[in-house]
Amino acid sequence: MSGVGPLSQDWEPVVLRKKAPTAAAKKDEKAVNAARRSGAEIDTVKKHNAGTNKAASSGTSLNTKRLDDDSESLAHDRVPTELKKAIMQARMDKKLTQAQLAQLINEKPQVIQEYESGKAIPNQQIISKLERALGAKLRGKK
C-alpha cells in the first residue's frame, strides 16, 4: 500500500434526503411560518365559509321558503272504488280465491289484497293481467 500513489475514492458520495413534503405538510402552520422567515413566496387564499357549518343552515333559506309556499298535494294515486268492486265481483263470479287469482297472473296474493282493499298504487300491467285472467273489462268503457 505504501508508495502506490495518492489515495482516491472509487465511489460517488451518497446524499440522503427527506422526501418532499406533501400538500398537507406544505399547508401546515409551521411550514408556512418557516417559508415566511426564509422569504419564500406564499400564496394565501381565503375560502368562503371554510371551517363553518353555515352552508348547511343558511344556504337553504330560499329552498325552505319555496317548499313552505308549495301547497301541492304529493300523494300517490290509489285504486278507485269502481275498480276494487269490479275485481272482487269478477273474482267471485269465477269462484276464485285471492290466492288462486294471484297465482293465475303470477303475482303475490298480497297484490290482489291491496287492489281489492284500495291500498295499491294502480299498475296498468297488473290491471291488464287481471282483465285477461278474469275475462272482464276492469278499466273504462273501451
Side-chain angles (χ1 to χ4, degrees):
M1 293 241 192
S2 61
V4 176
L7 291 175
S8 65
Q9 291 182 327
D10 292 349
W11 57 84
E12 296 292 319
V14 176
V15 179
L16 300 176
R17 292 191 186 114
K18 292 183 181 179
K19 62 182 176 178
T22 61
K26 289 179 186 175
K27 295 176 187 174
D28 186 19
E29 194 173 337
K30 290 179 183 176
V32 172
N33 287 337
R36 281 187 181 135
R37 281 193 295 275
S38 68
E41 188 176 322
I42 299 170
D43 186 27
T44 58
V45 178
K46 173 69 175 155
K47 292 189 179 179
H48 183 67
N49 285 346
T52 65
N53 200 12
K54 287 183 182 176
S57 60
S58 66
T60 59
S61 62
L62 296 174
N63 291 337
T64 308
K65 183 172 179 358
R66 195 176 311 139
L67 284 173
D68 287 343
D69 292 344
D70 192 10
S71 60
E72 184 181 351
S73 175
L74 300 175
H76 287 292
D77 291 335
R78 296 286 178 217
V79 176
T81 310
E82 306 86 46
L83 181 59
K84 294 188 318 190
K85 289 179 181 175
I87 293 171
M88 273 190 252
Q89 190 62 47
R91 182 176 58 81
M92 298 294 190
D93 291 346
K94 287 262 190 172
K95 296 185 171 91
L96 294 171
T97 64
Q98 288 180 343
Q100 290 168 335
L101 177 58
Q103 191 171 10
L104 277 174
I105 65 167
N106 293 326
E107 294 289 343
K108 294 180 180 177
Q110 181 182 356
V111 172
I112 305 300
Q113 291 170 2
E114 288 175 353
Y115 270 83
E116 288 188 0
S117 65
K119 293 179 184 173
I121 298 170
N123 181 338
Q124 296 305 316
Q125 285 182 319
I126 293 176
I127 294 173
S128 64
K129 284 184 193 179
L130 286 167
E131 286 177 337
R132 266 184 263 128
L134 296 171
K137 269 281 192 229
L138 301 174
R139 295 177 276 188
K141 310 265 188 280
K142 291 186 180 175

